[in-house]
Amino acid sequence: MGAAEVTAFLTALAVERGVSTSTSTQAQAQAQARAALLFLYGQVLRIELPWLSTRW
């Protein structure tokens, strides 16, 4: 997945699935998804996503 796909995935979580920053539990779920993507790309695939590290 590239930048567009990762952004679309996180947006889908926020909009379609109701995972937004409006409540603590939802914010934690979105942060966990973001952290998982950062780990997958950074540690497993060895692809840095600097735009994701600072954007969300």
Side-chain angles (χ1 to χ4, degrees), residues 2-52:
E5 292 84 6
V6 171
T7 301
F9 172 71
L10 291 174
T11 300
L13 284 178
V15 176
E16 296 169 14
R17 307 260 177 146
V19 178
S20 68
T21 57
S22 62
T23 67
S24 178
T25 302
Q26 291 173 336
Q28 290 172 350
Q30 190 175 29
Q32 186 175 10
R34 179 183 161 273
L37 287 172
L38 286 172
F39 177 81
L40 171 66
Y41 276 81
Q43 301 299 314
V44 178
L45 301 176
R46 302 283 185 212
I47 299 171
E48 293 302 318
L49 300 176
W51 57 268
L52 183 60

